[in-house]
Amino acid sequence: MAVEALRPEDPAMLGGYELLGRVGEGGQGVVYLARWPGPAGTEVALKTPHVRPGEDARADLSEITLVRQVARFCTARVLDAGTDAGRPYIVSEYVDAPSLRSVVEEGGPLGGVELERVAAGTMMALAATHAANVVHRDFTPGNVLLAADGPRVVDFGVARALGPSGRGEPGTSGTPAFMAPEQLAGGEVGPPADVFAWAVTMSFAALGARAFGEDGPRSAFERLLRLERYRVDVPSWLAEILKPCLREDPAERPPSREVLLRLLGYGAERNARPGGDVEEPGGAGRDGGTRRDPAPGGDRPRRPAPRPPEPRVGHPRTPTIGRPARPGSDAERRHPGPASSRTVISAWRRHRILIVAIALALSGAVAAAAALWPRPPDADRRRPSALTAPAPRRLTVGSANFPESILLGEIYAQALEAKGRPVTRRPNLGPRETYYPLVKDGGVDVVPEYNGALASYLGALDLDAAAPATTKSVESKLRGKLPGTLEVLDPAKAEDKDAIVVTRATVDRYGLTSLADLKGVSDGFVLGGTPEAQTRHQGVIGLRAVYGAGFKEFQPFRQEDFGTLADLLAKGTLQAAQMFTTDPALRRRDFVVLDDPKHLFGAQNVTPLVDRADVDAGARAALNAVSAKLTTEDLRYLNAQVAKGDRVEAVAKAWLVQNGLL
């Protein structure tokens, strides 16, 4: 990606970041290439939005929370945000890749699989954005980066959370040539505006600059006229998808997830006009959709949903591959392919007959050879008896979505395999809210748990109890709360508690030693932690209820982003963080764990949670043997090895060998 030199009006530093050059400028603001503070000096992208009179610059800081909810595979990860001398900024991962705008302007319009990849990849990003309750508001070719691993959508500088109505805030921030009509008019902006902007952007990708003329469209009406004039030059599979996305009324545009389904080859019945109109492919004045039932209360009877088409075999993938055209239709004439669907299916049937004939011939030859092959004299004695014990059942070992749980799951899996139990691994399943139902429903047989956290999740703990939650009391209450199909095995001595962590500078400034000292101080703190900490009792709720500690703001971080959380805590962007007591970053960064005198975070012993019916006595013995050996010091050491970059499998095996379990 080309980086321009800084201009005289550009600052040299912003928020502690050294600005190295300009990456670009758009309707929202300026994007700089910057250097992350600290010895590593990682290059990042720093965006500072245009600040308009009367706007509150601090309001933009809420965007870091919004954009962190968007799936990372399709965006540039947000790392930091702040305000420097009244100037807000957002720091994100730097993606060194050309923009869609520069690629088209320098090399001409896209076509073929390249255009398909950009259309599907960018719409997948928009669907993920809208699923996270975020509106982009400035989707343009300049905000699509064509990275080697797929397109990335960037520049969420004015993203807003959706309100109860499903719309964002009013405003005209953005790039006029790509704005939806309602955005140009200064009205409310929601996901339909992003869908419109995506359609204009894809028209630019397929047509090039002629879609708007050399100086750009002078009005929204001129833009639509030009797009209509050149629509014949857009590949027909894309033109059919773009047309409903460009409707003037936002209520009539299809949602992003349905556009994505069209691009992936599913039927277009969801893209029919609201209100019950029936759209047929190839019909005059229609948008290429399949038939749709009228709305309830309509004049016409409801038709049954169309059957899914038979998949084409041997046909190259196209975005409309799952939707065969009617014979003689415009779609079939425009998309002949190497063979029609009828020819391909007929060829497949001929091949299938040939395959079956060959298979029958081979099976007969094998049977004849087996009958004539000489048998050893003791063959009958070597044949297994019907009374031979069945092979052990294959066990599925899962884990949560953080490194320690993945490591413990691997230790369990290798210990079971050492005792002759076949194992299927399912690591990184997600938080407890995701993996516990899988264990409960039988999809996972074994998972590492923490008894106190699981008991709190199941509502087994007495939140008003005066006595601390010990390992023995937690285990007793937990066993009484679990369903009959599940069981916790022996707890390990190893504990990994949640804890509230601060820097030593914060301790010195506020005189903090325990969570009780946060009351009256934490109102000005930003607390970081996992997204689940915001809704769990052993988190924000319990801190307020037990210690009276409220926080100005909560910033969620995924487990894989805890390195960034530690960076921001050390830098002072966060004033407190909910971390794990075995996290190597605590010792490495000299963070201070605040005491928990009221035992909000009770006993947290590592405990195998198992399916009672599927885990036999031998498997239980293997897992209990792991618990008998595992200590908190072991966890700290093992986590540090993984954090250094050692393979999880090797770290697990070394510990098992050292403890005589392998």
mmCIF file of all heavy atoms in Angstrom, residues 3 70 81 105 126 147 160 168 215 254 278 314 338 362 388 445 449 497 563 592 605:
data_model
loop_
_atom_site.group_PDB
_atom_site.id
_atom_site.type_symbol
_atom_site.label_atom_id
_atom_site.label_comp_id
_atom_site.label_asym_id
_atom_site.label_seq_id
_atom_site.Cartn_x
_atom_site.Cartn_y
_atom_site.Cartn_z
ATOM 1 N N VAL A 3 2.253 4.795 0.811
ATOM 2 C CA VAL A 3 2.173 5.684 1.973
ATOM 3 C C VAL A 3 2.760 7.026 1.572
ATOM 4 O O VAL A 3 3.915 7.116 1.138
ATOM 5 C CB VAL A 3 2.934 5.091 3.179
ATOM 6 C CG1 VAL A 3 2.876 6.050 4.362
ATOM 7 C CG2 VAL A 3 2.361 3.733 3.554
ATOM 8 N N VAL A 70 -16.969 -7.297 15.816
ATOM 9 C CA VAL A 70 -17.020 -7.761 14.436
ATOM 10 C C VAL A 70 -15.984 -8.871 14.243
ATOM 11 O O VAL A 70 -14.867 -8.789 14.757
ATOM 12 C CB VAL A 70 -16.734 -6.602 13.457
ATOM 13 C CG1 VAL A 70 -16.776 -7.086 12.021
ATOM 14 C CG2 VAL A 70 -17.750 -5.484 13.669
ATOM 15 N N ALA A 81 -7.851 3.155 21.321
ATOM 16 C CA ALA A 81 -8.587 4.367 20.985
ATOM 17 C C ALA A 81 -8.359 5.377 22.098
ATOM 18 O O ALA A 81 -8.073 5.011 23.245
ATOM 19 C CB ALA A 81 -10.076 4.081 20.807
ATOM 20 N N GLU A 105 -8.289 1.522 -10.550
ATOM 21 C CA GLU A 105 -7.819 2.716 -11.260
ATOM 22 C C GLU A 105 -6.533 2.444 -12.033
ATOM 23 O O GLU A 105 -6.319 2.987 -13.112
ATOM 24 C CB GLU A 105 -7.614 3.855 -10.264
ATOM 25 C CG GLU A 105 -8.924 4.446 -9.751
ATOM 26 C CD GLU A 105 -8.694 5.568 -8.747
ATOM 27 O OE1 GLU A 105 -7.540 5.715 -8.277
ATOM 28 O OE2 GLU A 105 -9.661 6.282 -8.435
ATOM 29 N N LEU A 126 -19.568 -7.421 5.490
ATOM 30 C CA LEU A 126 -20.724 -6.602 5.873
ATOM 31 C C LEU A 126 -21.721 -7.400 6.704
ATOM 32 O O LEU A 126 -22.279 -6.892 7.679
ATOM 33 C CB LEU A 126 -21.416 -6.056 4.622
ATOM 34 C CG LEU A 126 -20.970 -4.689 4.110
ATOM 35 C CD1 LEU A 126 -21.945 -4.183 3.060
ATOM 36 C CD2 LEU A 126 -20.867 -3.683 5.246
ATOM 37 N N ALA A 147 -6.084 -7.945 0.472
ATOM 38 C CA ALA A 147 -4.958 -8.642 1.094
ATOM 39 C C ALA A 147 -4.769 -10.020 0.466
ATOM 40 O O ALA A 147 -5.669 -10.554 -0.199
ATOM 41 C CB ALA A 147 -5.196 -8.780 2.599
ATOM 42 N N ARG A 160 -21.658 3.180 14.307
ATOM 43 C CA ARG A 160 -22.559 3.427 15.427
ATOM 44 C C ARG A 160 -23.338 2.165 15.743
ATOM 45 O O ARG A 160 -23.720 1.420 14.849
ATOM 46 C CB ARG A 160 -23.564 4.542 15.092
ATOM 47 C CG ARG A 160 -22.934 5.916 14.921
ATOM 48 C CD ARG A 160 -22.446 6.461 16.263
ATOM 49 N NE ARG A 160 -21.976 7.825 16.116
ATOM 50 C CZ ARG A 160 -20.746 8.171 15.857
ATOM 51 N NH1 ARG A 160 -19.837 7.240 15.662
ATOM 52 N NH2 ARG A 160 -20.384 9.426 15.774
ATOM 53 N N GLY A 168 -29.116 3.255 12.584
ATOM 54 C CA GLY A 168 -28.072 4.012 13.250
ATOM 55 C C GLY A 168 -28.494 5.453 13.429
ATOM 56 O O GLY A 168 -29.652 5.822 13.308
ATOM 57 N N ASP A 215 -15.256 13.162 -13.167
ATOM 58 C CA ASP A 215 -15.387 14.057 -12.017
ATOM 59 C C ASP A 215 -16.378 13.533 -10.981
ATOM 60 O O ASP A 215 -16.675 14.223 -10.009
ATOM 61 C CB ASP A 215 -15.841 15.452 -12.487
ATOM 62 C CG ASP A 215 -14.845 16.059 -13.472
ATOM 63 O OD1 ASP A 215 -13.633 15.822 -13.283
ATOM 64 O OD2 ASP A 215 -15.293 16.745 -14.402
ATOM 65 N N PRO A 254 -32.562 -5.955 0.144
ATOM 66 C CA PRO A 254 -32.371 -7.195 0.910
ATOM 67 C C PRO A 254 -31.327 -6.994 1.994
ATOM 68 O O PRO A 254 -30.373 -6.234 1.811
ATOM 69 C CB PRO A 254 -31.891 -8.197 -0.147
ATOM 70 C CG PRO A 254 -31.253 -7.352 -1.204
ATOM 71 C CD PRO A 254 -32.033 -6.066 -1.242
ATOM 72 N N VAL A 278 -44.596 -11.337 -6.687
ATOM 73 C CA VAL A 278 -43.881 -12.526 -7.135
ATOM 74 C C VAL A 278 -42.896 -12.117 -8.206
ATOM 75 O O VAL A 278 -43.257 -11.435 -9.154
ATOM 76 C CB VAL A 278 -44.870 -13.578 -7.680
ATOM 77 C CG1 VAL A 278 -44.119 -14.774 -8.210
ATOM 78 C CG2 VAL A 278 -45.839 -13.992 -6.601
ATOM 79 N N GLY A 314 -19.500 -31.293 -11.766
ATOM 80 C CA GLY A 314 -18.538 -31.067 -12.828
ATOM 81 C C GLY A 314 -18.573 -29.680 -13.417
ATOM 82 O O GLY A 314 -17.798 -29.365 -14.287
ATOM 83 N N PRO A 338 -19.794 -24.577 -19.750
ATOM 84 C CA PRO A 338 -19.308 -25.606 -20.656
ATOM 85 C C PRO A 338 -20.376 -26.602 -21.036
ATOM 86 O O PRO A 338 -20.234 -27.329 -22.007
ATOM 87 C CB PRO A 338 -18.181 -26.267 -19.845
ATOM 88 C CG PRO A 338 -18.559 -26.015 -18.422
ATOM 89 C CD PRO A 338 -19.235 -24.686 -18.414
ATOM 90 N N LEU A 362 -15.075 -55.586 -9.704
ATOM 91 C CA LEU A 362 -13.961 -55.696 -8.765
ATOM 92 C C LEU A 362 -14.347 -56.496 -7.536
ATOM 93 O O LEU A 362 -13.575 -57.305 -7.029
ATOM 94 C CB LEU A 362 -13.490 -54.300 -8.353
ATOM 95 C CG LEU A 362 -12.694 -53.519 -9.413
ATOM 96 C CD1 LEU A 362 -12.404 -52.115 -8.913
ATOM 97 C CD2 LEU A 362 -11.398 -54.243 -9.737
ATOM 98 N N THR A 388 -15.112 -61.615 22.236
ATOM 99 C CA THR A 388 -14.015 -60.669 22.418
ATOM 100 C C THR A 388 -14.564 -59.319 22.873
ATOM 101 O O THR A 388 -15.589 -58.854 22.374
ATOM 102 C CB THR A 388 -13.248 -60.485 21.102
ATOM 103 O OG1 THR A 388 -12.745 -61.752 20.689
ATOM 104 C CG2 THR A 388 -12.091 -59.512 21.293
ATOM 105 N N ASP A 445 -17.497 -35.226 25.356
ATOM 106 C CA ASP A 445 -17.485 -36.153 26.494
ATOM 107 C C ASP A 445 -16.656 -35.648 27.667
ATOM 108 O O ASP A 445 -16.961 -35.954 28.824
ATOM 109 C CB ASP A 445 -16.937 -37.523 26.054
ATOM 110 C CG ASP A 445 -17.764 -38.140 24.947
ATOM 111 O OD1 ASP A 445 -18.986 -38.210 25.107
ATOM 112 O OD2 ASP A 445 -17.188 -38.534 23.915
ATOM 113 N N GLU A 449 -12.657 -27.987 33.337
ATOM 114 C CA GLU A 449 -13.502 -26.971 33.954
ATOM 115 C C GLU A 449 -12.808 -26.378 35.174
ATOM 116 O O GLU A 449 -11.777 -26.877 35.634
ATOM 117 C CB GLU A 449 -14.866 -27.561 34.363
ATOM 118 C CG GLU A 449 -15.993 -27.216 33.413
ATOM 119 C CD GLU A 449 -16.301 -25.721 33.344
ATOM 120 O OE1 GLU A 449 -15.643 -24.923 34.057
ATOM 121 O OE2 GLU A 449 -17.192 -25.341 32.569
ATOM 122 N N LYS A 497 -7.706 -18.623 39.206
ATOM 123 C CA LYS A 497 -8.821 -17.753 39.559
ATOM 124 C C LYS A 497 -8.880 -16.532 38.657
ATOM 125 O O LYS A 497 -7.867 -16.062 38.139
ATOM 126 C CB LYS A 497 -8.678 -17.282 41.009
ATOM 127 C CG LYS A 497 -8.828 -18.356 42.060
ATOM 128 C CD LYS A 497 -8.844 -17.727 43.442
ATOM 129 C CE LYS A 497 -9.061 -18.783 44.519
ATOM 130 N NZ LYS A 497 -9.164 -18.188 45.860
ATOM 131 N N GLY A 563 -3.149 -10.266 24.952
ATOM 132 C CA GLY A 563 -1.881 -9.567 24.830
ATOM 133 C C GLY A 563 -2.099 -8.077 24.642
ATOM 134 O O GLY A 563 -1.400 -7.245 25.237
ATOM 135 N N VAL A 592 -0.301 -6.011 39.578
ATOM 136 C CA VAL A 592 -0.655 -6.301 40.966
ATOM 137 C C VAL A 592 -2.064 -6.879 41.004
ATOM 138 O O VAL A 592 -3.004 -6.284 40.459
ATOM 139 C CB VAL A 592 -0.588 -5.026 41.832
ATOM 140 C CG1 VAL A 592 -1.009 -5.344 43.271
ATOM 141 C CG2 VAL A 592 0.816 -4.436 41.799
ATOM 142 N N ASN A 605 -10.671 -24.636 41.257
ATOM 143 C CA ASN A 605 -9.816 -25.786 40.970
ATOM 144 C C ASN A 605 -10.103 -26.341 39.584
ATOM 145 O O ASN A 605 -11.253 -26.413 39.158
ATOM 146 C CB ASN A 605 -10.054 -26.891 42.004
ATOM 147 C CG ASN A 605 -9.770 -26.424 43.418
ATOM 148 O OD1 ASN A 605 -10.621 -25.792 44.031
ATOM 149 N ND2 ASN A 605 -8.590 -26.726 43.921
#
